[in-house]
Amino acid sequence: MGSFTKRKLTFFYEHIYLIDFFYSLPEISSTSLTMRECISVHVGQAGVQMGNACWELYCLEHGLQPDGQMPSDKQAGQTDDSFSTFFSETGSGKHVPRAVFLDLEPSVIDEIRTGTYRQLFHPEQMVSGKEDAANNYARGHYTVGKEIVDL
């Protein structure tokens, strides 16, 4: 297998995965409404780092502050119908990303937990282990990673 193909497969399996879920609401009179929710799953060091950068960008694009609050001069979804696709709103008005961060090694996720956007994410959205698999698939799949999957 060539170096390029191996690198491409490694990127596909170890980095960022995006899963789209689409829900349809029942018809109301003659109008059909479709609500879309996109859940992002960020796996591994590169996936977590790319995911963090993406959510910072999403916040800038949608006008959210780093703590998930909408500035007082704006209203959520006022001009952007896709706002609820990426964020869910809590009862207190905070917008939380529809995302999960997973990594066997805690240091990369700890950067998010202590970074500028630390208040944006719910702590249960960030899952990390105590040690990494040391670039060993079997170790990550059968021992260290299996403990996290069983959670």
Side-chain angles (χ1 to χ4, degrees):
M1 185 181 303
S3 174
F4 177 76
T5 306
K6 187 182 263 185
R7 184 176 295 153
K8 191 171 168 184
L9 285 174
T10 301
F11 178 81
F12 177 77
Y13 288 114
E14 293 180 0
H15 295 131
I16 188 169
Y17 301 91
L18 183 63
I19 302 170
D20 292 329
F21 294 97
F22 298 98
Y23 300 96
S24 294
L25 297 175
E27 286 191 26
I28 300 173
S29 21
S30 63
T31 307
S32 178
L33 299 174
T34 302
M35 183 173 142
R36 297 176 187 216
E37 296 175 348
C38 180
I39 301 172
S40 300
V41 180
H42 308 286
V43 181
Q45 177 180 351
V48 169
Q49 289 173 333
M50 289 172 54
N52 189 35
C54 286
W55 286 106
E56 287 182 25
L57 182 64
Y58 291 159
C59 286
L60 290 172
E61 288 176 350
H62 292 287
L64 282 177
Q65 296 173 346
D67 62 352
Q69 297 291 335
M70 186 65 70
S72 59
D73 60 338
K74 287 187 163 186
Q75 285 184 337
Q78 184 177 8
T79 58
D80 187 5
D81 293 336
S82 66
F83 191 81
S84 63
T85 300
F86 297 105
F87 296 92
S88 61
E89 187 173 1
T90 65
S92 63
K94 179 179 177 181
H95 296 85
V96 181
R98 299 178 193 275
V100 177
F101 293 86
L102 303 162
D103 197 2
L104 293 178
E105 204 262 325
S107 66
V108 180
I109 292 182
D110 286 344
E111 290 176 13
I112 298 173
R113 288 182 177 129
T114 60
T116 307
Y117 287 83
R118 65 185 170 273
Q119 294 176 331
L120 182 65
F121 303 101
H122 191 278
E124 290 182 357
Q125 292 175 292
M126 295 181 270
V127 180
S128 63
K130 293 182 172 74
E131 59 180 319
D132 68 350
N135 291 328
N136 184 336
Y137 174 81
R139 181 172 158 82
H141 184 72
Y142 294 110
T143 58
V144 180
K146 187 171 174 69
E147 295 170 5
I148 296 210
V149 171
D150 289 340
L151 293 177

